[in-house]
Amino acid sequence: MRLTRALHSRTDEQVAIIAGGPIAQIYNCRVLRNHRLEHDDVWFQDGRIINPTSLYGLRNPDSRIDARGLIVAPGLVDVQLNGAFGYDFSFNKSDIATCLDVVSRGVLLQGCTSFCPTTVSSDSETYHSVLPNLGRRPGSLKNGAESLGAHVEGPFMNPKKKGAHDVSCLRSAPNGLADFDECYGLDNLRNYVAYMTVAPEVDGVLEAIPQLISECQIGISQGHSVATSEVACQAHAGGARMITHLFNAMTSFHHRDPGIVGLLSASRSSECLKLDANGVPIPEQDLAESATVFYGLICDGIHVHPSAVKIAYNSHPAGAVLVTDAMGAMGLPDGHYKLGNMPVVVGPKADVKGCPRAALIQGTDTLAGSIVTLIECVRNFRAFTQCSIVEAVEAATLRPAQMLGIERRKGTLDYGADADIIFLSDELYVQQVFVRGELATPDTVRSD
């Protein structure tokens, strides 16, 4: 009777909390919230962060978790992951479901609670085969890290900046949207893809960008490109608000034409006017977040020199998004692997200080993605830029979530967000991982 009266006199939020499942409280911690570390608690229920002030006098926590003074932060978000643990999202077509399971469970234990499975340039048959398996899937102890939808990197990119992509798969779009439909299937883009990397200077691509955004509701990133600053700004104005692995596979910065790198100034400049789907300029007061340029950085100490990382960050700190761009050898020893159809050799890179391990296309000096983990990128980023712990962690949590437009539920510990949580030491090593409020350990992350 008392519970019934309480339910009738409370808000909808309170009713849901009172009637919901077990409540957990994390205490004795420093919580990353509101762009700072606060001495506070984190409460969650049914996989969501909840507001404890709604509970006063109604319910006590069913369990209390002592964080032992550690940092409590949102789970890491990797928006560019080609594969790991011997699996590749473009190569393992016949066992793509197993591929997703193995990678998702493995990266979860590293502190990455959500990610975009990434495909490299492939033939049309590959996209039609794998994309339906790489769409959005919630995180759990069974599923592993959440799939946020695929990132299709290519094949609409410039052969001059193909990187580790198979040049025979690259293509242009003289027929506009019809060529994208033939390549991926527009329904596959709508249903399974979070964002796409394209080179805007490739025939037909620039004009297709606003259509792809409006028709398929996906994000567009510029990369593997020799675009001039003018073309890059036109693509940004059309809605391409991301840059794929800044500095890698694009024209180097030049003071007379900075190319895509010049977009780092776009958020504070009227040079790149943003247009709506009909090509009409958006009023300045409506730009706000939509004008921000987000740029991926592979902070493994090989892909981008630490000084270049620092220059980019100092130029546009709010746009920095740490990515691994990891391939199938991540988490495994030196040896021979695949990135899509390209053979890859992993071993020490003698021309880099310290001879770190690197993945190279066999018989070349071309980097084939990385073998770094996302939390290693966070530590490297802080060392390279001398930024704060908060800034380093947000570059792998809040910023990628903002890039994908999901910052209300990912990359944050705000009330209502998913209870994807990590405990970190002051040296930024992962101590514990929760996915949707469940503790993830090698024993609890299921492989059945």
Side-chain angles (χ1 to χ4, degrees), residues 304-331:
V304 185
H305 191 279
S307 294
V309 172
K310 188 172 184 178
I311 288 170
Y313 181 67
N314 288 341
S315 173
H316 181 28
V321 174
L322 301 183
V323 300
T324 62
D325 195 21
M327 48 81 65
M330 193 264 274

Side-chain angles (χ1 to χ4, degrees), residues 383-430:
F384 296 168
T385 64
Q386 289 82 55
C387 69
S388 69
I389 287 176
V390 169
E391 291 168 312
V393 175
E394 286 191 338
T397 55
L398 177 63
R399 303 309 179 194
Q402 290 174 328
M403 170 183 145
L404 297 176
I406 56 172
E407 67 272 19
R408 291 182 180 273
R409 67 182 189 91
K410 297 294 183 185
T412 178
L413 295 180
D414 287 349
Y415 306 138
D418 293 340
D420 295 341
I421 301 166
I422 55 175
F423 291 4
L424 295 170
S425 67
D426 284 355
E427 295 76 28
L428 298 177
Y429 286 87
V430 175

Side-chain angles (χ1 to χ4, degrees), residues 17 21-25 43-45 50 55 59-63:
I17 291 174
I23 295 172
Q25 175 195 12
W43 295 56
F44 58 86
Q45 176 189 47
I50 61 171
L55 296 174
R59 281 190 65 172
N60 293 318
D62 297 279
S63 61

Side-chain angles (χ1 to χ4, degrees), residues 2-156:
R2 183 178 300 172
L3 177 60
T4 302
R5 283 199 208 98
L7 289 175
H8 282 300
S9 62
R10 301 297 175 182
T11 66
D12 290 343
E13 178 189 14
Q14 290 172 321
V15 169
I17 291 174
I18 293 170
I23 295 172
Q25 175 195 12
I26 301 172
Y27 70 100
N28 187 19
C29 54
R30 290 163 292 156
V31 180
L32 176 48
R33 188 179 279 152
N34 300 320
H35 309 296
R36 61 181 181 268
L37 293 176
E38 304 175 338
H39 289 279
D40 200 355
D41 297 347
V42 176
W43 295 56
F44 58 86
Q45 176 189 47
D46 298 331
R48 302 278 184 180
I49 308 293
I50 61 171
N51 184 353
T53 61
S54 301
L55 296 174
Y56 291 153
L58 300 176
R59 281 190 65 172
N60 293 318
D62 297 279
S63 61
R64 301 182 76 234
I65 303 164
D66 185 354
R68 308 180 311 281
L70 293 169
I71 296 167
V72 174
L76 306 179
V77 182
D78 192 351
V79 296
Q80 187 169 4
L81 179 65
N82 303 288
F85 313 109
Y87 285 90
D88 178 276
F89 294 120
S90 303
F91 180 72
N92 292 99
K93 293 185 288 187
S94 62
D95 55 351
I96 189 65
T98 299
C99 172
L100 182 63
D101 286 343
V102 170
V103 174
S104 300
R105 292 165 184 161
V107 298
L108 174 62
L109 294 174
Q110 297 171 346
C112 176
T113 56
S114 54
F115 71 104
C116 291
T118 298
T119 58
V120 295
S121 296
S122 304
D123 56 35
S124 179
E125 186 276 328
T126 295
Y127 292 118
H128 283 78
S129 173
V130 303
L131 288 180
N133 295 278
L134 301 180
R136 295 161 185 83
R137 185 176 80 163
S140 68
L141 295 181
K142 180 179 180 181
N143 291 343
E146 178 165 342
S147 171
L148 300 170
H151 164 211
V152 286
E153 187 183 5
F156 296 91

Side-chain angles (χ1 to χ4, degrees), residues 106-342:
V107 298
L108 174 62
L109 294 174
Q110 297 171 346
C112 176
T113 56
S114 54
F115 71 104
C116 291
T118 298
T119 58
V120 295
S121 296
S122 304
D123 56 35
S124 179
E125 186 276 328
T126 295
Y127 292 118
H128 283 78
S129 173
V130 303
L131 288 180
N133 295 278
L134 301 180
R136 295 161 185 83
R137 185 176 80 163
S140 68
L141 295 181
K142 180 179 180 181
N143 291 343
E146 178 165 342
S147 171
L148 300 170
H151 164 211
V152 286
E153 187 183 5
F156 296 91
M157 51 180 51
N158 198 309
K160 295 178 181 178
K161 293 294 180 181
K162 63 182 178 61
H165 291 243
D166 185 348
V167 69
S168 68
C169 293
L170 303 189
R171 56 191 295 173
S172 59
N175 302 305
L177 208 59
D179 287 316
F180 289 89
D181 188 20
E182 191 279 327
C183 179
Y184 312 108
L186 293 185
D187 282 341
N188 284 335
L189 294 180
R190 294 184 186 104
N191 296 327
Y192 310 119
V193 171
Y195 76 106
M196 173 193 302
T197 294
V198 298
E201 76 278 10
V202 168
D203 185 21
V205 169
L206 184 62
E207 297 76 14
I209 287 174
Q211 295 174 288
L212 286 165
I213 295 170
S214 61
E215 290 283 332
C216 302
Q217 300 298 302
I218 62 173
I220 300 294
S221 185
Q222 302 187 56
H224 288 270
S225 168
V226 297
T228 63
S229 180
E230 179 181 3
V231 171
C233 278
Q234 289 174 345
H236 177 259
R241 56 197 294 250
M242 313 167 194
I243 303 172
T244 296
H245 45 53
L246 183 72
F247 300 122
N248 298 118
M250 63 183 60
T251 305
S252 298
F253 178 88
H254 191 279
H255 59 282
R256 291 197 181 94
D257 189 339
I260 289 177
V261 178
L263 289 174
L264 295 188
S265 69
S267 294
R268 297 178 301 280
S269 169
S270 60
E271 181 182 353
C272 296
L273 219 70
K274 186 167 177 62
L275 311 178
D276 64 19
N278 298 314
V280 177
I282 297 175
E284 185 176 352
Q285 64 269 24
D286 295 333
L287 287 175
E289 290 292 324
S290 67
T292 298
V293 175
F294 294 97
Y295 56 95
L297 283 171
I298 308 171
C299 284
D300 61 352
I302 300 172
H303 277 78
V304 185
H305 191 279
S307 294
V309 172
K310 188 172 184 178
I311 288 170
Y313 181 67
N314 288 341
S315 173
H316 181 28
V321 174
L322 301 183
V323 300
T324 62
D325 195 21
M327 48 81 65
M330 193 264 274
L332 297 178
D334 295 351
H336 293 262
Y337 299 92
K338 287 277 193 176
L339 177 64
N341 291 320
M342 303 296 282

